[in-house]
Amino acid sequence: MLSQGRRMERPVVIHKVASDLRLSPNWVDYEAGRRVDVWADARHALQGLPGGGLNLGFEAVDRQAAGALRDHVALRFVARNAPPLDLRYFELAQQTNRFANVLRSLGVGKGDHLFVLAGRIPELYVAVLGALKNGSVVTPLFSAFGPEPIAARIQLGAGRVLVTTDALYQRKVKQIRAQTPTLVHVLLVAEDGGITNEPDTLDLGTLMASASDTFSTVETQPDDPALLHFTSGTTGTPKGALHVHEAVVTHFATGRYALDLHPQDRYWCTADPGWVTGTSYGIIAPLLQGVTSLIDREEFDAERWYTLLEQERISVWYTAPTAIRMLMKAGTELAQRHSHPDLRFIASVGEPLNPEAVWWGQEALGLPIHDNWWQTETGGIMIANTPAFDIKPGSMGRPLPGIDACIVEHLEAEGEPARVRVIEEANVEGELALKRGWPSMFRAYLNNEARYRKCFAGELYLTGDLAKRDADGYYWFVGRADDVIKSAGHLIGPFEVESVLMEHPAVAEAGVIGKPDPVVGEVVKAFVSLKDGYQAGETLRLDISAHARRRLGAAVAPKEIVFLPTLPRTRSGKIMRRLLKARELGLPEGDTSTLEGGAWTK
Ligand code: AMP
């Protein structure tokens, strides 16, 4: 009751403060910042390749290693049972050179696709940056994925090289080698520091030891592919969003203006590189700004996280609403047992950040949390709360310099190309759209030109998110326009989960939805109907659940499975996930005119 009373007194804005009295923010005046050509400024600050061209890996590592930051710690790895490991900028340059030389010696070159499947170990970071310098196209995969999502993504991306650990290879990759014929080289990291001798693989440590530590970066052009990130859609296999080397311009500018990074910062991004945030802001942007970036190999643990913030003297912290909600659950008292005198800026991304969480930051850590918005396709932060203006808790902020956002309504339900009208009025809900042309805009969905085209209406990129803009130009997230599930900040395609459930011999049909959850946003919930001859019951439910976890991995598999006699379908045969969700939540069922007659009884 008391906290309820306090909550009601809270003002609707948190007035901006200089984010740190010792450092002046990179962006102080919203309007003035918007008038600056930040892309031109960023291009100017970046070096470019000696012979012309632009390369993400070179800008992030070699440019810094050749300058004043040569001996500065670039990446600091911490783990529960190992001493911290620091890689200085020049060491990172040498290691990435070695890795690039390994690729070259294997005949892997510009445009070849390389996947990395590993926890947050140094080799992951070296492989990603080294491969970029080699002109190869890189995809870090989330190590908690099961064999199915791994195989689907390597197939779609025609992966030629995979870097993984011996343990992950045994558990998840060996069984899918036959399904991934494009994979020519599998490079194994022996996590015990030894040498692996698994058939059909190469030992990465051995190759690195004999490779030269000098390498001249392959001449990539701004429009050459660099990174391939997968994102989940409602139907079909995941979509491979392709990013180019020019994305470095956005990474540079947003590291400066959205995260307010300064070279003296000690920065911690808690995202795994298997998700776009963990690459753009867990690898690239901090290096571009010359900061020391902390990488924790462990999973979430409230006490450990507060200790790291304190002991590692983190000054800028980029995390996610799920983590913040878990910290809130652990209690303000735990936070207050630690002191964080160095912490000056906190940002969050991935899901809506409740106003309560923004205020919690203020109470527990002495700083508000700055929500920001972007997605795999945008490659970098587009809309943010920053030190340059007041925060309205619950809003994802305002467009960054160089970004033009608007809210649109569709003039036809299905037309192609989409025709939209920009909604000028404030506080009207519609689809969030961005004016195309920012440097990190994705350039393709791999092998799916038609789907890519559908994302655009003339000069506007349609984000698939519903939002509102208020009279002050702040954007407020409303929801997604599709059925994609957001769980613990990760997008999960219902179709991918349904397909695996359908592989189980007892399952006739499956419909998967996101069920709201106070901590992780949504949990994956599956409704299944059974084939004749199978009896619904706890044993079968556990068996289906185990099958899903084995194939998909714990992060993607459904947490709840419910049996239904039949699932609601449209007359054209599509499972009506919306109806499943409405019934789950006790909401109005909306238009059911396309529901297959009488097929579903509750
Ligand atoms: P992903 O492509 O996996 O990064 O997911 C992008 C999606 O996450 C967006 O399209 C939104 O639906 C959601 N999202 C990201 N950031 C926010 C935010 N600050 N508030 C609300 N939703 C967000």
Side-chain angles (χ1 to χ4, degrees):
M1 284 313 284
L2 185 64
S3 71
Q4 186 67 29
R6 281 215 322 263
R7 212 173 298 158
M8 289 174 69
E9 285 159 24
R10 284 173 177 165
V12 289
V13 297
I14 299 179
H15 292 296
K16 69 172 174 173
V17 281
S19 60
D20 183 342
L21 297 178
R22 286 159 297 177
L23 289 176
S24 85
N26 291 323
W27 185 17
V28 267
D29 176 331
Y30 182 74
E31 297 303 337
R34 297 264 313 156
R35 285 193 295 272
V36 172
D37 184 347
V38 282
W39 308 138
D41 280 4
R43 283 190 181 96
H44 185 72
L46 297 168
Q47 193 177 333
L49 292 171
L54 187 66
N55 183 282
L56 259 161
F58 177 89
E59 297 296 340
V61 183
D62 298 31
R63 179 178 58 97
Q64 308 288 33
L69 293 172
R70 180 186 185 279
D71 295 314
H72 195 61
V73 175
L75 303 176
R76 177 170 170 83
F77 295 89
V78 290
R80 226 185 268 280
N81 296 318
L85 174 84
D86 288 340
L87 275 182
R88 294 169 194 280
Y89 277 92
F90 84 91
E91 291 167 327
L92 190 59
Q94 289 176 339
Q95 293 289 328
T96 50
N97 284 347
R98 282 183 193 274
F99 186 79
N101 279 318
V102 167
L103 292 182
R104 185 173 281 179
S105 71
L106 295 172
V108 176
K110 192 169 169 178
D112 287 333
H113 284 202
L114 173 135
F115 284 69
V116 187
L117 175 76
R120 291 179 291 279
I121 55 176
E123 288 84 350
L124 184 164
Y125 295 77
V126 167
V128 168
L129 293 161
L132 288 170
K133 283 165 48 170
N134 189 49
S136 306
V137 183
V138 189
T139 304
L141 286 175
F142 189 37
S143 63
F145 275 156
E148 200 62 23
I150 296 170
R153 284 158 179 76
I154 294 177
Q155 284 161 1
L156 203 72
R160 183 141 185 244
V161 184
L162 172 70
V163 176
T164 188
T165 65
D166 47 0
L168 287 169
Y169 185 77
Q170 296 299 340
R171 284 195 357 246
K172 303 182 173 189
V173 181
K174 209 168 174 175
Q175 58 189 293
I176 55 158
R177 281 298 290 266
Q179 286 165 255
T180 51
T182 57
L183 213 50
V184 183
H185 304 290
V186 175
L187 310 182
L188 290 192
V189 178
E191 281 194 280
D192 63 0
I195 293 177
T196 61
N197 53 10
E198 178 68 30
D200 301 323
T201 69
L202 297 166
D203 180 67
L204 181 61
T206 309
L207 295 173
M208 289 284 280
S210 58
S212 156
D213 65 8
T214 60
F215 180 82
S216 57
T217 298
V218 169
E219 258 184 36
T220 46
Q221 296 305 314
D223 267 331
D224 283 337
L227 290 157
L228 178 68
H229 286 295
F230 287 90
T231 182
S232 298
T234 311
T235 55
T237 47
K239 296 174 284 184
L242 193 63
H243 289 279
V244 296
H245 282 274
E246 199 189 17
V248 69
V249 175
T250 303
H251 296 150
F252 183 92
T254 52
R256 178 169 277 185
Y257 299 116
L259 298 179
D260 197 44
L261 292 174
H262 292 63
Q264 47 280 68
D265 276 316
R266 295 175 64 89
Y267 164 80
W268 182 18
C269 168
T270 60
D272 189 274
W275 308 103
V276 70
T277 305
T279 300
S280 295
Y281 297 98
I283 307 181
I284 298 161
L287 296 176
L288 290 171
Q289 294 301 329
V291 307
T292 294
S293 202
L294 180 79
I295 294 149
D296 181 25
R297 289 188 53 180
E298 313 296 342
E299 293 313 316
F300 176 84
D301 173 332
E303 170 63 36
R304 179 179 166 78
W305 278 30
Y306 287 128
T307 306
L308 282 178
L309 285 172
E310 181 173 13
Q311 288 182 354
E312 295 295 333
R313 304 189 350 264
I314 299 301
S315 54
V316 178
W317 189 37
Y318 195 19
T319 188
T322 298
I324 293 165
R325 287 192 290 263
M326 291 198 286
L327 290 176
M328 288 168 75
K329 255 180 103 174
T332 309
E333 219 178 78
L334 182 63
Q336 288 167 345
R337 255 185 259 152
H338 296 263
S339 72
H340 309 103
D342 297 285
L343 197 57
R344 64 176 186 85
F345 189 76
I346 310 176
S348 157
V349 71
E351 304 159 64
L353 185 70
N354 337 50
E356 203 45 38
V358 179
W359 286 111
W360 173 85
Q362 187 90 50
E363 280 166 19
L365 300 165
L367 298 166
I369 297 170
H370 296 78
D371 187 16
N372 61 52
W373 177 95
W374 59 292
Q375 52 181 196
T376 303
E377 288 83 347
T378 68
I381 304 170
M382 300 282 109
I383 296 178
N385 289 285
T386 79
F389 49 92
D390 298 341
I391 297 176
K392 293 192 189 183
S395 156
M396 49 205 199
R398 300 206 264 181
L400 290 177
I403 302 299
D404 289 313
C406 58
I407 302 290
V408 300
E409 79 170 325
H410 285 254
L411 297 174
E412 300 137 352
E414 288 288 319
E416 207 186 310
R419 288 201 313 119
V420 298
R421 176 185 83 88
V422 175
I423 300 174
E424 302 291 352
E425 308 86 298
N427 300 317
V428 178
E429 187 180 314
E431 185 169 354
L432 175 63
L434 303 169
K435 186 161 173 239
R436 67 191 294 165
W438 68 96
S440 64
M441 186 180 88
F442 71 131
R443 303 304 158 92
Y445 282 132
L446 204 64
N447 308 330
N448 200 344
E449 174 59 28
R451 185 67 189 79
Y452 184 71
R453 269 202 313 271
K454 268 179 90 164
C455 294
F456 295 90
E459 282 305 292
L460 291 177
Y461 163 66
L462 307 171
T463 67
D465 280 354
L466 303 175
K468 289 192 255 193
R469 188 192 60 248
D470 71 15
D472 299 323
Y474 285 70
Y475 284 76
W476 300 76
F477 183 78
V478 173
R480 287 194 58 93
D482 59 22
D483 296 339
V484 177
I485 300 162
K486 197 92 224 244
S487 188
H490 305 146
L491 281 187
I492 297 174
F495 183 81
E496 212 177 353
V497 181
E498 287 160 6
S499 306
V500 163
L501 290 170
M502 303 272 293
E503 286 171 6
H504 190 282
V507 174
E509 48 185 5
V512 167
I513 64 161
K515 176 183 158 187
D517 178 273
V519 176
V520 295
E522 289 184 307
V523 291
V524 179
K525 176 160 185 169
F527 297 86
V528 296
S529 68
L530 297 175
K531 289 184 186 151
D532 288 347
Y534 286 91
Q535 202 56 44
E538 193 53 13
T539 315
L540 184 56
R541 202 180 57 74
L542 289 175
D543 194 59
I544 297 173
S545 175
H547 161 79
R549 289 173 74 93
R550 214 167 31 245
R551 306 283 286 152
L552 295 164
V556 183
K559 298 278 179 292
E560 290 180 34
I561 298 179
V562 167
F563 295 112
L564 287 178
T566 56
L567 299 187
R569 285 180 174 278
T570 60
R571 291 201 188 94
S572 61
K574 266 196 202 159
I575 289 177
M576 290 180 80
R577 300 189 190 103
R578 257 175 238 284
L579 198 51
L580 285 169
K581 191 155 180 171
R583 293 216 162 170
E584 172 71 28
L585 303 181
L587 296 173
E589 293 183 4
D591 177 15
T592 53
S593 58
T594 58
L595 184 66
E596 200 180 33
W600 196 38
T601 46
K602 204 177 178 185

